[in-house]
Amino acid sequence: MELLGSTHTTTYTRPGMKSTNFLPAISTMASSYKNPHFVMSQSMYLPWRPSSYLRTASAVPSIGLTSRISPDLTKAKVSRFPSNRMALFARYTPVDWLKSNHKNYMESESSRHSAERLRVDTARLIQDKEQLTRKTQSTTSKNIGERLNDIVFWKSELNHEIENMIGETNALAEVKKRLERALAETEGPLQVARECLYHREKRMSVDLVHDKVEKDLIQEVESIKGCQERMRCSLDAANSQLASNRAAQHELDRDINDKLIAHRIDDKCHYLRNTSDGISYFRGVENIDATVSMPESWARFTDNNILRSQNERAASAKLRHDIETLLNTTSNEMWSHFNSVNVAFTNRLSEVADAKNKLQMHLAKTLQEIFQTEMLIEALKKAIRDKESPLKVAHTRLDKRTRRPNVELCRDSSQLRLVSEVREIDDTIQRLRERLWEAEKTLQMLVNTKVTLEHDLSIKANSLFIDQEKCMSMRKSFPSTPRLVGYT
């Protein structure tokens, strides 16, 4: 039961009703129900004017207050109120009743208007937020699509640059192989030039001359060594450039692999819808900032990789051109020195052969002169021998005539002629012996000349053998120009 009010003798109650937040129970202040003796003692001094009491209890409890008071009112017991109350002081006038109803109507209408406004605003809010969510999701999808386009663009640029870099690296590697083959081909001509110098050291005597052939051979050796040194430097540069090309290509490959992964992830994100499988809540993921770049730095990173690769390709192309020029230059230079040495050898062989021929001619003449001198010596010896008999005859006649007796030893004309004959024959023999000595001396000189000529001929023959048989036989073949530039 719910307490409505009481007089001195009567307590009015009605069946208990559920408390409502909109229509609180008509009652006085809650404190009056908590202490009825205080209320009763206070009401004894009030005049019998319900309006005065209404003014006193005109405060309408709020929703929260009513909710707190209603349990106390339902628990009120009749035994708390004295039954000998003599006056009614909780009565309301019809005006108060009408005002209370009107107030309840107004509050109800206000509550309904508030609820309706809340409902309309909430529906509008739901609609606006739905549109905003769809627009935001569409914008995000558009941004992801643009990001995909950017990734596709940079992927195409990276793929194009990687293809160019691979082609340039392969071209440089091929040129490097040619350079290695050309460097290996220079060992043959260098060995031939050194062998020629070594063999020419075996020349004898005056033929061991520092002639033009030797000078050209030394120049050829120095030239080939210089070519080899330049080739080795270019080979080192090619190896270094290949390493730089591979490093730049590695950066491009790593970048494009990252972009492939990013493209695959963003492509999945781009095609995600509200009805897609695999979507879920990841609480706090929006607060995690795992980014390491901005769009500008992201594009600049790939652009820098491409620029680095382009710079390396340009350097590689320049190095390839330099290597091609070096191969042609060294080939022409070695060919020029080879031909120059061969021409010098030919001229030297001609000179030595001419000198040898002249020596042979002089030797033949010397031999002929030796023969004639020997014949002259023999003739002189025979002439000397031939003079011995006349001299003996003259000596014998003079000796015989010295045995004439006495006065018969006359210095007659015969005696004088015999003495003159002996002296004449002695003088002839003396002169013939002098001529014999001169002839023998001339013969010795001719023999010495013959020995010298023969020795010189052997030297020339040795020089010809070295230059023609040993040196020129090795220089008959020389690596062709394609081999010198590394094509075969």
Side-chain angles (χ1 to χ4, degrees):
M1 298 293 289
E2 185 180 359
L3 178 64
L4 297 177
S6 65
T7 62
H8 289 288
T9 59
T10 309
T11 299
Y12 298 93
T13 61
R14 66 175 180 177
M17 299 179 62
K18 294 181 179 179
S19 63
T20 176
N21 293 331
F22 300 101
L23 295 175
I26 300 175
S27 63
T28 58
M29 295 298 291
S31 60
S32 65
Y33 295 98
K34 293 180 180 178
N35 193 354
H37 298 286
F38 172 77
V39 175
M40 181 176 65
S41 62
Q42 186 179 13
S43 63
M44 295 297 291
Y45 301 98
L46 294 176
W48 179 247
R49 290 180 64 185
S51 61
S52 299
Y53 178 75
L54 288 174
R55 282 195 297 273
T56 304
S58 62
V60 181
S62 63
I63 297 175
L65 184 60
T66 307
S67 64
R68 291 195 303 269
I69 295 173
S70 296
D72 294 336
L73 294 177
T74 56
K75 294 177 183 180
K77 298 193 177 177
V78 180
S79 61
R80 284 186 172 185
F81 298 93
S83 60
N84 56 354
R85 305 174 75 177
M86 299 302 294
L88 292 174
F89 51 87
R91 298 281 184 143
Y92 296 97
T93 63
V95 176
D96 296 332
W97 183 79
L98 290 174
K99 287 182 178 180
S100 177
N101 290 337
H102 181 68
K103 182 179 180 182
N104 291 333
Y105 299 155
M106 294 300 291
E107 289 179 355
S108 175
E109 185 174 0
S110 176
S111 299
R112 284 187 286 104
H113 280 303
S114 298
E116 183 179 1
R117 186 168 58 253
L118 177 63
R119 179 169 48 80
V120 172
D121 291 342
T122 303
R124 186 181 298 111
L125 176 64
I126 292 173
Q127 184 178 2
D128 292 343
K129 295 302 179 182
E130 177 66 21
Q131 293 178 357
L132 179 61
T133 302
R134 290 182 179 178
K135 182 179 179 181
T136 302
Q137 190 179 67
S138 176
T139 303
T140 303
S141 298
K142 181 181 177 182
N143 291 338
I144 294 177
E146 293 175 353
R147 178 69 173 181
L148 285 172
N149 292 333
D150 292 341
I151 293 176
V152 169
F153 168 75
W154 285 114
K155 276 174 54 182
S156 64
E157 292 293 321
L158 287 171
N159 281 324
H160 180 69
E161 184 60 30
I162 288 174
E163 290 177 359
N164 292 337
M165 177 55 76
I166 291 174
E168 179 60 34
T169 302
N170 292 336
L172 182 59
E174 181 62 29
V175 171
K176 174 177 168 284
K177 291 180 180 178
R178 286 176 49 201
L179 184 61
E180 290 174 346
R181 289 195 293 264
L183 180 60
E185 287 294 331
T186 59
E187 290 296 330
L190 179 61
Q191 185 65 26
V192 168
R194 285 176 172 173
E195 286 290 331
C196 288
L197 287 173
Y198 173 74
H199 286 307
R200 283 177 62 82
E201 290 296 321
K202 297 179 181 180
R203 292 174 298 168
M204 297 181 296
S205 185
V206 71
D207 272 17
L208 191 62
V209 62
H210 187 61
D211 54 3
K212 189 176 185 303
V213 177
E214 187 169 359
K215 293 178 182 179
D216 289 345
L217 281 173
I218 293 174
Q219 289 181 359
E220 183 180 18
V221 171
E222 295 299 327
S223 174
I224 294 175
K225 286 183 178 179
C227 293
Q228 287 180 342
E229 185 63 26
R230 283 181 288 170
M231 287 181 180
R232 290 190 184 97
C233 291
S234 297
L235 192 60
D236 293 338
N239 290 327
S240 177
Q241 187 62 49
L242 282 174
S244 299
N245 288 358
R246 293 190 181 98
Q249 183 180 346
H250 176 71
E251 292 297 327
L252 294 176
D253 290 335
R254 186 172 66 175
D255 195 1
I256 197 170
N257 288 333
D258 293 344
K259 281 178 171 50
L260 287 173
I261 297 173
H263 184 272
R264 184 165 59 250
I265 293 173
D266 285 348
D267 187 61
K268 290 181 180 178
C269 294
H270 183 255
Y271 287 102
L272 278 179
R273 298 293 181 267
N274 296 332
T275 57
S276 300
D277 296 333
I279 58 176
S280 179
Y281 289 109
F282 296 93
R283 297 297 182 184
V285 70
E286 70 279 1
N287 298 323
I288 301 175
D289 187 7
T291 58
V292 295
S293 64
M294 299 297 290
E296 294 80 8
S297 62
W298 173 80
R300 188 167 55 251
F301 176 79
T302 302
D303 188 55
N304 290 338
N305 287 336
I306 293 176
L307 286 177
R308 177 189 174 187
S309 176
Q310 290 175 347
N311 292 333
E312 295 297 340
R313 282 197 299 111
S316 178
K318 183 178 182 302
L319 180 60
R320 283 194 300 109
H321 180 267
D322 293 343
I323 292 175
E324 290 283 354
T325 304
L326 175 64
L327 289 174
N328 293 327
T329 302
T330 54
S331 174
N332 294 333
E333 185 176 344
M334 286 190 290
W335 263 107
S336 176
H337 281 285
F338 176 77
N339 293 329
S340 175
V341 172
N342 285 351
V343 170
F345 261 115
T346 303
N347 294 335
R348 184 61 180 171
L349 286 171
S350 177
E351 292 175 358
V352 174
D354 184 59
K356 181 183 177 183
N357 292 332
K358 289 180 178 180
L359 286 173
Q360 288 177 342
M361 181 182 65
H362 283 284
L363 179 61
K365 291 181 179 180
T366 301
L367 291 174
Q368 180 65 29
E369 191 65 29
I370 288 172
F371 175 75
Q372 292 178 358
T373 302
E374 288 177 348
M375 295 296 294
L376 176 62
I377 291 172
E378 291 297 328
L380 287 172
K381 288 180 178 181
K382 182 177 182 300
I384 292 172
R385 288 194 303 269
D386 290 342
K387 295 298 183 289
E388 290 178 355
S389 295
L391 182 59
K392 289 178 181 180
V393 170
H395 281 179
T396 302
R397 284 177 178 178
L398 286 174
D399 183 70
K400 294 285 185 186
R401 285 178 65 83
T402 60
R403 294 185 178 90
R404 288 177 299 167
N406 300 317
V407 74
E408 293 298 325
L409 289 171
C410 182
R411 188 184 296 270
D412 52 7
S413 60
S414 299
Q415 182 70 26
L416 294 174
R417 184 62 186 163
L418 284 173
V419 172
S420 174
E421 181 182 5
V422 169
R423 290 178 178 175
E424 183 180 349
I425 292 174
D426 285 337
D427 184 61
T428 301
I429 292 174
Q430 184 62 31
R431 291 189 64 183
L432 288 175
R433 284 178 178 174
E434 289 178 357
R435 289 296 178 90
L436 178 61
W437 179 81
E438 290 178 0
E440 289 177 348
K441 184 178 178 180
T442 301
L443 179 62
Q444 185 63 35
M445 183 183 65
L446 289 173
V447 170
N448 291 335
T449 302
K450 169 180 169 291
V451 171
T452 301
L453 291 175
E454 288 177 346
H455 178 68
D456 204 5
L457 277 173
S458 65
I459 291 174
K460 296 297 184 291
N462 179 68
S463 299
L464 285 173
F465 176 76
I466 290 174
D467 287 347
Q468 188 169 11
E469 299 298 330
K470 289 191 174 181
C471 294
M472 291 303 292
S473 63
M474 291 189 298
R475 302 183 66 87
K476 288 181 179 179
S477 62
F478 191 78
S480 61
T481 300
R483 292 176 66 87
L484 288 177
V485 297
Y487 280 113
T488 56

